[in-house]
Amino acid sequence: MTIACNLSLIRSKIHAASRDGSADDVTLVAVSKNQPDSRVEQILAAGQRVFGENRVQEAEARWSGRRKKYPDLRLHLVGPLQTNKVKDAVALFDMIETVDREKLALALAQEMKKQNRNLPCLVQVNTGGEEQKSGIAPEALGGLLEFCDGCGLDIQGLMCIPPLDEDPVPHFAMLRELAQKYKLPHLSMGMSGDYEKAISEGATFVRVGTALFGEREV
Ligand SMILES: *Cc1c(COP(=O)(O)O)cnc(C)c1O
C-alpha cells in the first residue's frame, strides 16, 4: 500500500473511533523518526502536516529546511529531552510532549522566555512504573504540575507510552483519569497498534509511525 493510502485508512479509522464521529478532536501525529525522506515527502504531498520526532538533531536535519515550504507544519517532540538540547528543541518544535522533571521544566520555561516562544507542553507519565522508561510517576504528577505552573510553563495535557507487554487500555484509562483530576484538556496516547483503543479512552493526539510509513530504518 502507498503511504497516501495508509493515511486515508488511518484517518477513517480515527473518524470511526472518535466519540462523536467527527474526529475533529483527535489529531494524528505522524511519527517520522528513522523514516527515509522519500516517505516523508509522500505523506507531505498527501497533506499530513503534524509530525512527531524523538530526537532533536535528527528532527532539525529533516525539518528546519522544510519550514518555509510548509508554514503550517506542526512538530511535536515525543522523545526524552536532555537539558543541553533545550535551546534547539524550543527553536524547532511546536509542542514538547515529554516534560517529566522539574529541572527540564525550568530549563524549558527559561528558554521559552529567552526565545519569546511559548510552546504548549505535555507531561509524560510513566503509567507502568517502568524503571527504564522516562515519565513522572503518577503520584508525583501533582507536584510537577504545580512546579510547571509556577514557572509559567503551558502544560496542556498528559502523554504516556504503556509497557509493551501489557494491555494498554488500563494505562490509557489511568492517563485520562489523571488529566480529568488536574483539568488538563489533552491526552497523547496510542501508537500504531492501539490508537483506536486510545481514542475510545479519550486520546486527543495519537502518535502513529509504522502503520503510516512502514517499518523504520535502523
Ligand atoms: C516511535 C514512537 C511512536 C510510534 O510508534 P509506532 O509503533 O511506529 O506507531 C509513538 N510514540 C513515541 C513516543 C515513539 O517513540
Side-chain angles (χ1 to χ4, degrees):
M1 276 218 286
T2 69
I3 289 174
C5 244
N6 293 344
L7 180 62
S8 19
L9 184 70
I10 289 172
R11 285 204 180 288
S12 68
K13 284 186 177 174
I14 288 173
H15 198 278
S18 71
R19 229 161 267 187
D20 59 2
S22 75
D24 289 347
D25 46 353
V26 183
T27 300
L28 172 62
V29 180
V31 179
S32 47
K33 67 179 187 197
N34 299 327
Q35 294 288 352
D37 257 4
S38 58
R39 295 182 187 168
V40 171
E41 283 301 330
Q42 285 178 57
I43 205 167
L44 281 165
Q48 177 67 25
R49 290 294 180 269
V50 186
F51 291 88
E53 290 280 355
N54 70 336
R55 303 180 73 151
V56 178
Q57 262 145 336
E58 187 194 338
E60 258 175 350
R62 165 161 285 152
W63 294 109
S64 51
R66 287 186 166 94
R67 277 279 187 195
K68 267 212 185 85
K69 188 164 175 198
Y70 304 101
D72 51 346
L73 210 56
R74 304 282 305 163
L75 300 179
H76 290 217
L77 180 66
V78 301
L81 179 58
Q82 284 156 2
T83 46
N84 62 357
K85 303 257 173 67
V86 159
K87 188 177 170 192
D88 294 340
V90 168
L92 180 70
F93 287 97
D94 301 290
M95 179 180 267
I96 309 290
E97 295 203 12
T98 51
V99 178
D100 64 354
R101 58 199 190 277
E102 292 186 357
K103 188 181 171 202
L104 176 61
L106 182 61
L108 281 167
Q110 288 173 335
E111 188 60 36
M112 286 180 197
K113 281 198 191 93
K114 240 188 236 169
Q115 296 190 27
N116 196 20
R117 273 174 67 76
N118 191 21
L119 310 186
C121 297
L122 307 179
V123 169
Q124 183 177 355
V125 182
N126 188 355
T127 57
E130 295 172 285
E131 223 162 83
Q132 77 287 3
K133 199 166 265 173
S134 26
I136 185 99
E139 56 278 10
L141 176 62
L144 179 59
L145 289 173
E146 243 173 68
F147 183 86
C148 291
D149 197 41
C151 299
L153 202 60
D154 179 18
I155 303 293
Q156 298 200 343
L158 305 176
M159 176 271 214
C160 76
I161 309 170
L164 275 177
D165 53 352
E166 284 181 30
D167 177 3
V169 170
H171 296 273
F172 297 155
M174 184 199 289
L175 203 69
R176 184 193 62 231
E177 282 158 20
L178 288 168
Q180 276 164 350
K181 178 174 173 188
Y182 295 108
K183 302 190 166 54
L184 297 166
H186 283 290
L187 283 171
S188 173
M189 55 192 199
M191 317 203 297
S192 288
D194 54 20
Y195 64 91
E196 291 164 282
K197 289 177 187 166
I199 291 167
S200 303
E201 295 300 322
T204 61
F205 294 106
V206 290
R207 310 177 309 266
V208 181
T210 46
L212 274 173
F213 294 103
E215 289 303 321
R216 283 181 278 278
E217 293 182 331
V218 274

